[in-house]
Every structure is written in structure tokens, then in C-alpha cells.
Amino acid sequence: IPLWDIKSRRQITAHPVGGCSMGQDVSNGVVDSFGRVFRGKTGNQVYDNLYVADGSIIPTSLGINPSLTITALAYRIAFYIVDRNKEYLP
């Protein structure tokens, strides 16, 4: 890690992201592009109604302030959830 403070053992970054990375399947991520959490060893299935919609799904640092990217991803995930549950809306 290029920005690692060895003495204090802390990562030095202005905008930390990651931890629950977005990927194609469980072999390279925790969630898919809609924030759905992968289930099982193959990662072909997702948990029902379990979503992650924050900066942790961005796989790596963007090099810029990630707030707009995080907002866009959360917006996309929210619209996916609403669209998927239209039958339950009044």
C-alpha cells in the first residue's frame, strides 16, 4: 500500500473506500452492481432484500473525492429496489 504509515500502522488517504467491493461474482467482490450481497460459494445467487449502498462497494480509491460516485451508486440501487418492489407500493 503506497500510502501506509508504518510507525502508526494506519493507512493515509483522504477518501477511504472499499471493504465490501462490487464485483461480477463472489470470486472478485461481495456485492453486484445493484448492491445485492452474493450468497454461496459460487456467488451466482444473492440474498433477498439485503443491499449495501455506500462507499464500501467502490472497489478501489478513485483518486478524487468519491461523494458524487457514491451518491450515483446509492441512487441507482434505490431505484432498483423501488422498481423491484412496485407491487407493494400504494
Side-chain angles (χ1 to χ4, degrees):
I1 299 173
L3 297 175
W4 186 264
D5 183 3
I6 296 172
K7 291 180 183 177
S8 66
R9 300 190 60 106
R10 292 185 303 172
Q11 184 178 6
I12 303 168
T13 180
H15 307 289
V17 294
C20 194
S21 297
M22 187 173 22
Q24 296 290 327
D25 57 29
V26 77
S27 68
N28 61 7
V30 177
V31 299
D32 66 4
S33 63
F34 291 107
R36 300 176 298 180
V37 178
F38 292 125
R39 186 178 89 173
K41 293 181 181 182
T42 61
N44 295 332
Q45 300 172 345
V46 294
Y47 286 100
D48 290 332
N49 300 316
L50 179 59
Y51 299 89
V52 178
D54 62 10
S56 67
I57 69 173
I58 299 173
T60 186
S61 178
L62 302 175
I64 58 168
N65 188 323
S67 61
L68 189 56
T69 303
I70 294 167
T71 302
L73 283 168
Y75 188 79
R76 180 175 190 259
I77 293 166
F79 267 83
Y80 174 80
I81 293 169
V82 169
D83 189 51
R84 187 169 174 243
N85 295 294
K86 279 185 179 178
E87 62 203 54
Y88 303 111
L89 297 175

